[in-house]
Amino acid sequence: MRSLILPAGAFRALAHHISDFTADYLEKLPNLPSYPPGVSGQQTQALFTGDLPLEGIGAAAFADLERVFNYARPSSPRFFGYVFGSGEPISALGDFAAGVLNQNATAWRSAPAGVTIERTVVRWLAEAIGCAGFSGSLTLGGSSANLMALCMAREAKAPANQSGVRGGVIYCSAEAHMSIAKAAALLGLGHDSVRKIAVDEAFRMRTKDLRAAIERDLREGKQPIAIVGSAGTTATGSIDPLDEVADLCAEFGLWMHVDGAYGALAALAIPDAFRGMNRADSLSLDPHKWLYQPAGVGCLLYRNPADAQRAFSHTGDYARSLTNDPIEGFAIFEESMELSRPFRALKLWMSLRYFGLRAFQHSIAEDLELAQVLARAIDAEPHLERLAPVALSAVCFRFKDSNGDLDVLNQAILQRVTQRGRVYLSNAVIHSQFVLRACIVNHRTTEDDVREIVAEVLAAAGEVQA
Ligand SMILES: Cc1ncc(COP(=O)(O)O)c(C=O)c1O
């Protein structure tokens, strides 16, 4: 027998073990700390940096999972850091099945069901957020979707695939996600090609300033390529005036990309907040954020597949399709920067069909409402102040009751909150001030969990100041 063959019975036993083990974990989850208590870098180094195993240890490798889970940050209902989805478990089962099936979801011929399901799921997502008719593909996440979108924009407005990069300017707000600057760097345009337009009091791009910046660049002989509107900025969840962005794109012949990695899926619950989004040429959204999927699934939508093909079709002879059938000849790799691709769609397909879109709509609406509950609780607490309106589900605030340096104090409070392990917050900078930030994109979170944030920050502040 070959060395890596696993008998079916052994697989069955191990799979049962994993299903029992993970089901136990899910049962315990609501009561687990929001961060593993007392975990240190030295501990994880000591536990997980052993020598390369030349001989296998068999099923004992599974016993080590206990330690992995113990030193992981649990998917707790009281995790409010960053913008990170809460890992809905039907989806995790879909991931498991997809791994066993091991499809190369890159072309119909390599994954007939997989590619068809991916195209279906992408169509569903587009429909669900009011962008019916868009096509696209699933990506590793929002950063890769933004990179692909800006590559398409560059190729549409200042083609460079053949002759190399000649320049081009991208506009976004000062609050846009770092993946926009990263994409500009990766595309060879450089950070200097990104104009970060000032925002208004609600952290939305000022379109007057945007127009002025475009006109200035044109006067100076530069080549504007694209405007990136944010549909949910990372720090505050603000939504740029997308209709006005679309008008400017039409007027100046620019590509309109919407970075909806955080917020676009909230259009399921509050579509009016996203007016103009469906005028985009391309749009990123992240099921692994606000569709609660386990990490590793973003999505890029675009209006015209020919734009994606212009950017990404570099077919080699070894990959040429031998059929003219539009379904059987379809290849995602002609519209994506990826070639070998996992069957990401299976988890989404199972999760959406198991629960139905309405359940996701309700859950997102609940997250939005919980953010308002938190905002009201902060506003009612004299020791705290909120530093931004709550457009979606990110709430930025700080402890304000001290004559000392509030940035230093709030950093210490954040560290203490994490050590206390009851809620997990992250941070942001608002008006050059360090703030605590809670973001609710978690299908497990309840009102009690959210109320705990205020209590925990006050308790941590008491300990820090004692
Ligand atoms: C607005 C926005 N865009 C893009 C991204 C990047 O997404 P990902 O982490 O999936 O690469 C994020 C991540 O938080 C985000 O908030």
Side-chain angles (χ1 to χ4, degrees), residues 124-160:
W124 287 349
L125 291 175
E127 269 173 37
I129 61 163
C131 293
F134 280 56
S135 49
S137 63
L138 300 180
T139 63
L140 190 54
S143 302
S144 39
N146 285 340
L147 172 61
M148 279 168 53
L150 291 178
C151 184
M152 288 165 61
R154 201 268 316 276
E155 218 39 38
K157 303 294 175 182

Side-chain angles (χ1 to χ4, degrees), residues 83 140-144 146 177 179 232-234 259-262 286 288-289:
V83 189
L140 190 54
S143 302
S144 39
N146 285 340
H177 189 258
S179 53
T233 55
T234 312
D259 179 6
Y262 167 18
D286 252 2
H288 70 189
K289 293 188 169 56

Side-chain angles (χ1 to χ4, degrees), residues 53-76:
L54 292 183
E55 303 300 333
I57 57 170
F62 283 70
D64 284 344
L65 271 182
E66 181 102 32
R67 269 191 287 169
V68 175
F69 273 58
N70 285 344
Y71 286 86
R73 194 274 302 160
S75 269
S76 156

